[in-house]
Amino acid sequence: MEKLLINGNKDLNGEISISGSKNAALPIIFATLLSHKPILINNIPKLQDVNISLKLLKHFGSKIQYYDQHSVCLESNSLISLDAPYELVKKMRASILSLGPLLTRFGEVKVSLPGGCAIGQRPVDQHISALKKMGAKICIDHGFIIAKCNKLKGCTIKNNIVSVTGTENIMMAAVLAEGTTIIENAACEPEIVDLANFLIQIGAKIYGHGTPKIIIDGVHSLHGVSYKISSDRIEAGTFMCAVGATKGDILLKNVNPLEMKATISILRSAGLNISTGDNWIRCQMFDKPLPINFETDIYPGIPTDMQAQLMALSTVAKGKSLIIENIFENRFMHAQELCRLGANIDINGNKATIYGVNYLSGTNVLATDLRASASLIIAGLSAKGETLIEDIYHLDRGYENMEFKLNSIGADIKRIIYDED
């Protein structure tokens, strides 16, 4: 068991290079199953979710070769299994993204119903209904999605809700389907655009990505490519919240500010001085943050993946903040842990009212999910005294070397390994 010990109340100053995006890397890893040619993925982040995805591809029979710690070559020429076992799938919800590629390429697949963070229900109904409309026969038996088809056929799919993974699965299934597929009410996130750009580079015909209507003309086969994953906008936003809560002056490199307009806007309203360039963001904070009011929303709104970090920032703001969570119904579990640090937070359904306090005080807290882990680190960095964060395996699922990066700009964080007993 590993924990983080934070000695807080220190300004943050310096430079950080942002890693490749977790939310872009995972669907692209699974999209390599669509081609029998070697594919080199660059700027891949070193994360537990990436490791689990690669283990799953290795289970299928893909050949995996690391060129360096951030570049991996994947070749799925001769697969030996089309079953995604529970032992791997239970650890990460994104494993459902093997469903579309394997079904459209091989005509059958068996995938365990997914696991992942306990932040609310995230049903796979849209994935299943879309693939059925494309001609697949699907049943759920003993916790597995079992799907078969002769050949998927393009059609018009109208999503009743906007789903990122749902859009990604349909896109991947459609690239090798017969005819044209139109996805209406599609997700518009930058990670959708990144996946589409990757698929286009290996030979797919995709139009309208980044808009609510995506059109895919099916092709017979796909080839190889060398592709670079985009930067992680959530990691960048997390570091911006950290400097907002602690004060300081940081420069984030290898980041795209155009993908972060909503996050940048709300942080400016909190009092951060933010300047941007083509691939960098500079954040300065020399006073306590101002209160903020926002609702999470689908892109281009404020992402739900930034809600916990912004709440941590709000705990030490000069006044009352209001956060409304519109995406997941169970994503305020970090609030009670923030209150253990001295925060004053009232939860009423999907609304959180945060009354800013003069300071937080270090104590022991428990990370309940990936972004909750980040929020507790931000709170611990701003708190007086020592904060011990337990269950940080969540953190390693989505942040690469987070304590190393924070220590490089003035934080004092130690990773402690304990025996299970």
Side-chain angles (χ1 to χ4, degrees), residues 95 99 120 217 220 240 247 250 253 290 297:
S95 51
L99 180 63
D217 292 330
H220 293 295
M240 294 169 75
K247 303 179 186 177
I250 64 171
K253 301 184 296 183
L290 302 173
D297 203 354

Side-chain angles (χ1 to χ4, degrees), residues 22-23 49 52 89-95 114-123 305 328-331 333 367-374 391-399:
K22 175 184 89 81
N23 291 337
D49 276 11
I52 294 169
V89 173
K90 69 179 181 180
K91 299 177 181 179
M92 184 190 62
R93 178 177 172 77
S95 51
C117 282
I119 58 173
Q121 296 197 18
R122 298 188 282 182
D305 278 355
F328 294 121
E329 75 281 358
N330 194 27
R331 208 168 195 179
M333 290 189 292
T368 55
D369 61 69
L370 171 56
R371 305 307 172 183
S373 304
D391 281 5
I392 62 163
Y393 69 88
H394 291 293
L395 182 77
D396 296 330
R397 290 185 48 237
Y399 290 94

